[in-house]
């Protein structure tokens, strides 16, 4: 147990757990039947499986004799590694890497492949996708997959702050540049992201007058702080994101055409969830495990009817809405239930299935009424 960094256990040929100890040599509770131990003894072959209790950990079932099986688990080591990785990501100001993007559909695999291909480029990247598709996750993944890994990642939401604040955040200011300016001034996001990446989310919402200043920064690779006339060279890759059609915004005179072409050097279209065939179930099961672990619930699966409802729903809020739906389902689960059922899902998802709609139509037809 000390060597593998977890626990060691002995089971008999019926799978009965006889004894168990942790990596400190202390005995731990050993009860119940291990079907995998029975199978390992019966086949005389070791079995290796992913642990259900700790992400990234493995369980090994090794038949020792015809009626004895040794079970080893490296949960403790795995948890330490995961904690270290989380800390490293936090220090990099990012949380996501390419392997954190979950999906097996052709649409998302194509986008991941494109993201890897452009990760080492210094050119500006425009991420286009609906709300909730994971544009910032892709931005962070691109940052960590390229030469900027380990360097600053600075994110600015252009739609969340007024133009005056965004300008000071982006370009910085000198002491006394305006009322309330911090003593000593403050470097802007472009300076803070030196050598790394600056992520401009909701770029379509940026004030029209501010767009010309951003264009100059992109062209000249230098910023001028508010209250100063001295340009400061900057070296940060720009990744921007939008859920709108920037070309239409240009035609409506709400976005500058020259800035549009400067931002849209490399475009990545992030597919909506409804176009990611097969990914709904995969993501739902991932979120189920995530929230069961954090909320202390025991769910191990999603019922076929609930999965069918999840697949049939259109997901206008995309992955973010799916995550919220599963978080809701796990919250309403009792601590003794081990399956997410149709009744646990939010109403707008649960009552969207073909079966429910057909039953509703039949009842209305019987009353000579329609859904109109």
């Amino acid at each position: 147990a000390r060597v593998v960094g977890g626990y060691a256990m002995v089971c008999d040929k019926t799978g009965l757990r006889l004894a168990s100890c942790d990596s400190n040599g202390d005995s731990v509770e050993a009860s119940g039947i291990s079907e995998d131990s029975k199978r390992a003894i019966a086949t005389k072959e070791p079995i290796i499986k992913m642990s259900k209790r700790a992400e990234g950990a493995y369980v090994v079932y090794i038949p020792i004799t015809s009626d004895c099986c040794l079970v080893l688990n490296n949960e403790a080591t795995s948890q330490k590694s995961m904690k270290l990785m989380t800390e490293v990501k936090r220090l990099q100001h990012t949380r996501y890497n390419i392997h954190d993007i979950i999906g097996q559909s052709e649409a998302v695999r194509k986008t991941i492949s494109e993201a890897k291909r452009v990760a080492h480029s210094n050119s500006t990247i425009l991420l286009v996708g609906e709300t909730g598709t994971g544009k910032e996750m892709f931005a962070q993944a691109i940052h960590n997959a390229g030469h900027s890994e380990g360097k600053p990642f600075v994110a600015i939401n252009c739609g969340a702050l007024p133009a005056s604040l965004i300008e000071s955040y982006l370009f910085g200011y000198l002491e006394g540049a305006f009322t309330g300016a911090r003593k000593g001034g403050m470097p802007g996001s472009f300076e803070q992201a030196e050598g790394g990446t600056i992520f401009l989310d909701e770029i379509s919402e940026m004030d029209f007058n501010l767009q010309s200043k951003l264009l100059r920064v992109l062209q000249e690779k230098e910023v001028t702080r508010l209250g100063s006339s001295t340009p400061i060279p900057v070296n940060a890759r720009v990744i921007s994101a939008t859920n709108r059609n920037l070309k239409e915004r240009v035609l409506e005179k709400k976005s500058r055409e020259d800035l549009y072409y400067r931002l849209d050097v490399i475009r990545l279209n992030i597919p909506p969830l409804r176009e990611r065939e097969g990914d709904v179930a995969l993501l739902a099961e991932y979120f189920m495990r995530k929230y069961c672990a954090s909320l202390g619930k025991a769910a191990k699966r999603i019922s076929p009817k609930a999965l069918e409802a999840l697949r049939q729903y259109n997901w206008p809020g995309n992955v973010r809405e799916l995550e919220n739906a599963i978080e809701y389902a796990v919250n309403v689960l009792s601590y003794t239930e081990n399956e997410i059922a149709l009744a646990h899902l939010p109403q707008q998802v649960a009552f969207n299935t073909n079966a429910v709609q057909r039953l509703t139509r039949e009842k209305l037809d019987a009353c000579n009424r329609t859904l109109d």
Side-chain angles (χ1 to χ4, degrees):
R2 189 174 297 114
V3 170
V4 299
Y7 69 76
M9 182 168 61
V10 175
C11 298
D12 65 16
K13 62 183 178 182
T14 67
L16 180 65
R17 297 181 174 96
L18 302 177
S20 181
C21 71
D22 61 19
S23 57
N24 295 319
D26 298 325
S27 295
V28 295
E29 183 179 355
S31 60
I33 300 295
S34 169
E35 294 296 330
D36 289 309
S37 292
K38 286 172 58 178
R39 189 157 54 251
I41 292 174
T43 61
K44 300 180 181 179
E45 294 286 341
I47 296 174
I48 303 175
K49 298 183 69 175
M50 293 291 294
S51 171
K52 296 179 180 178
R53 303 197 312 176
E55 186 178 355
Y58 286 87
V59 186
V60 184
Y61 302 84
I62 307 171
I64 303 300
T65 68
S66 59
D67 59 1
C68 178
C69 182
L70 176 64
V71 184
L72 302 174
N73 186 303
N74 68 333
E75 284 182 5
T77 297
S78 177
Q79 288 171 347
K80 287 179 182 178
S81 298
M82 294 294 291
K83 185 177 181 181
L84 179 61
M85 285 299 296
T86 300
E87 183 66 8
V88 169
K89 288 182 181 181
R90 185 186 69 79
L91 292 174
Q92 292 176 194
H93 307 291
T94 56
R95 296 172 54 197
Y96 303 111
N97 290 296
I98 287 289
H99 67 262
D100 293 317
I101 301 173
I102 298 171
Q104 296 178 347
S105 63
E106 180 63 28
V108 81
R109 280 190 294 158
K110 179 182 177 183
T111 307
I112 290 173
S113 177
E114 292 174 348
K116 289 179 179 178
R117 197 159 53 243
V118 302
H120 290 277
S121 170
N122 287 321
S123 299
T124 56
I125 298 174
L126 178 65
L127 304 177
V128 181
E130 298 175 8
T131 298
T133 50
K135 294 185 290 296
E136 183 165 358
M137 174 180 276
F138 269 93
Q140 292 187 18
I142 291 169
H143 170 85
N144 285 327
H147 53 70
S148 297
E149 182 183 13
K151 296 179 181 177
F153 178 92
V154 180
I156 294 290
N157 189 321
C158 300
L161 296 170
S164 56
L165 283 180
I166 291 180
E167 184 173 6
S168 63
Y169 268 79
L170 282 176
F171 310 129
Y173 56 82
L174 296 182
E175 182 178 341
F178 52 86
T179 303
R182 182 186 300 177
K183 185 177 180 180
M186 186 183 78
S189 298
F190 276 94
E191 292 179 69
Q192 295 170 16
E194 181 66 23
T197 301
I198 182 166
F199 175 57
L200 303 177
D201 198 9
E202 296 187 34
I203 188 67
S204 59
E205 306 305 313
M206 178 175 282
D207 180 79
F208 190 87
N209 295 321
L210 188 56
Q211 292 178 26
S212 60
K213 296 185 178 180
L214 174 60
L215 176 63
R216 179 171 178 79
V217 174
L218 296 178
Q219 289 177 332
E220 306 299 330
K221 302 294 184 183
E222 59 184 28
V223 297
T224 303
R225 292 187 185 183
L226 296 182
S228 173
S229 58
T230 304
I232 302 172
V234 291
N235 176 31
R237 176 175 51 185
V238 175
I239 300 178
S240 54
T242 181
N243 59 4
R244 297 199 182 194
N245 187 320
L246 281 185
K247 190 66 175 177
E248 290 182 359
R249 300 277 292 177
V250 169
L251 296 175
E252 294 169 356
K253 305 299 183 184
K254 295 180 179 178
S255 291
R256 292 178 61 102
E257 186 173 17
D258 45 8
L259 177 62
Y260 164 71
Y261 289 119
R262 177 62 67 175
L263 293 173
D264 196 18
V265 175
I266 299 173
R267 174 183 292 212
L268 288 183
N269 293 301
I270 314 301
L273 188 54
R274 61 182 174 275
E275 295 179 6
R276 295 172 54 176
E277 186 176 355
D279 284 351
V280 169
L282 198 66
L283 286 161
E285 289 172 359
Y286 169 79
F287 292 134
M288 176 191 69
R289 292 192 298 271
K290 172 183 175 180
Y291 287 107
C292 280
S294 64
L295 297 172
K297 298 297 179 72
K300 304 295 182 185
R301 59 186 175 272
I302 303 173
S303 73
K305 287 185 179 179
L307 271 178
E308 184 60 24
L310 293 172
R311 291 191 186 101
Q312 290 182 17
Y313 188 63
N314 198 43
W315 300 112
N318 294 290
V319 179
R320 186 182 297 132
E321 185 183 6
L322 173 60
E323 180 174 4
N324 291 344
I326 299 301
E327 183 180 2
Y328 169 85
V330 174
N331 270 284
V332 300
L333 271 174
S334 70
Y335 284 93
T336 58
E337 291 177 299
N338 61 7
E339 180 180 79
I340 292 179
L342 187 63
H344 296 125
L345 299 177
Q347 288 189 2
Q348 75 272 18
V349 179
F351 290 104
N352 190 62
T353 65
N354 292 334
V356 171
Q357 292 174 355
R358 184 170 60 253
L359 182 61
T360 304
R361 283 195 297 270
E362 289 172 356
K363 288 185 176 180
L364 289 172
D365 289 341
C367 302
N368 293 319
R369 297 177 65 183
T370 70
L371 290 171
D372 297 330

